[in-house]
Amino acid sequence: MEEIKTLWKDRRRRLGLPLSFTKYHLTEDRIFCEKGLLNLHEEEILLYRVRDLELKRSLGQRIFGVGSVLVHSSDKTMPILELKNIRKPKEVKELLYRQTETSKDARRMRTMEFVGNEHNCHHDGAASDDLDQ
């Protein structure tokens, strides 16, 4: 069996210290959240299902050098995963972005975003008249 390579790992921090039983880790195609000491609960999100990433840093988080990355996904059991109070949140968000794009490319999971061009948009009567001629 092929070994799964961990690209990043951290735990939820309290006052900047890793004093929590919540662990996060990222592989090439999934992100995991494991919670608990005696009773473990592990969730995972396939990276091709990630829709958006968000970075939050409160004043207290900035003081202790941590932040939170919110992972918005189309996963049914965990539509939002908060990587709470992690070190280097900007770098983690960027790594997640790159891995998400790589995963989507590998699965050919691209969706086209249609942006209206000037010929399809009718902002005023003049543009509409030009198209009718």
Side-chain angles (χ1 to χ4, degrees), residues 24-72:
Y24 310 110
H25 73 274
L26 174 68
T27 65
E28 292 178 354
D29 61 348
R30 293 178 286 179
I31 185 159
F32 297 87
C33 175
E34 181 182 296
K35 295 180 181 183
L37 174 63
L38 300 176
N39 296 319
L40 294 177
H41 179 76
E42 186 174 287
E43 280 282 345
E44 71 180 67
I45 294 177
L46 297 168
L47 291 179
Y48 76 86
R49 290 188 170 163
V50 173
R51 292 183 160 189
D52 194 25
L53 298 168
E54 183 180 349
L55 174 66
K56 291 185 352 182
R57 294 186 75 199
S58 68
L59 176 60
Q61 286 176 317
R62 290 193 318 255
I63 289 170
F64 289 106
V66 297
S68 297
V69 175
L70 280 78
V71 180
H72 300 268

Side-chain angles (χ1 to χ4, degrees), residues 8 11 20 25-27 31 45 48 50 54 67 72-73 79 82 86 92 94 96 101 105 111 113 118 126:
W8 168 82
R11 20 176 103 226
S20 171
H25 73 274
L26 174 68
T27 65
I31 185 159
I45 294 177
Y48 76 86
V50 173
E54 183 180 349
H72 300 268
S73 75
E82 183 175 9
I86 57 172
V92 171
E94 188 60 32
L96 269 167
E101 294 300 308
D105 286 342
T111 57
E113 293 182 358
E118 61 190 69

Side-chain angles (χ1 to χ4, degrees), residues 2-133:
E2 179 180 328
E3 183 179 328
I4 298 172
K5 181 181 174 187
T6 299
L7 302 175
W8 168 82
K9 66 181 179 178
D10 200 357
R11 20 176 103 226
R12 182 177 174 178
R13 296 172 177 273
R14 298 195 191 281
L15 302 176
L17 301 172
L19 303 174
S20 171
F21 297 108
T22 301
K23 300 176 191 175
Y24 310 110
H25 73 274
L26 174 68
T27 65
E28 292 178 354
D29 61 348
R30 293 178 286 179
I31 185 159
F32 297 87
C33 175
E34 181 182 296
K35 295 180 181 183
L37 174 63
L38 300 176
N39 296 319
L40 294 177
H41 179 76
E42 186 174 287
E43 280 282 345
E44 71 180 67
I45 294 177
L46 297 168
L47 291 179
Y48 76 86
R49 290 188 170 163
V50 173
R51 292 183 160 189
D52 194 25
L53 298 168
E54 183 180 349
L55 174 66
K56 291 185 352 182
R57 294 186 75 199
S58 68
L59 176 60
Q61 286 176 317
R62 290 193 318 255
I63 289 170
F64 289 106
V66 297
S68 297
V69 175
L70 280 78
V71 180
H72 300 268
S73 75
S74 60
D75 189 87
K76 299 286 186 208
T77 59
M78 183 165 280
I80 299 176
L81 169 61
E82 183 175 9
L83 307 175
K84 195 167 188 172
N85 295 336
I86 57 172
R87 288 182 307 145
K88 301 181 181 180
K90 281 185 177 182
E91 289 89 343
V92 171
K93 181 181 174 231
E94 188 60 32
L95 176 61
L96 269 167
Y97 170 75
R98 287 194 310 269
Q99 281 306 121
T100 298
E101 294 300 308
T102 301
S103 182
K104 287 179 181 180
D105 286 342
R107 291 180 175 262
R108 295 187 175 100
M109 297 292 295
R110 289 283 165 210
T111 57
M112 296 296 293
E113 293 182 358
F114 296 102
V115 179
N117 60 32
E118 61 190 69
H119 297 296
N120 293 332
C121 295
H122 302 291
H123 297 291
D124 59 11
S128 173
D129 292 340
D130 290 343
L131 291 174
D132 290 339
Q133 293 178 3

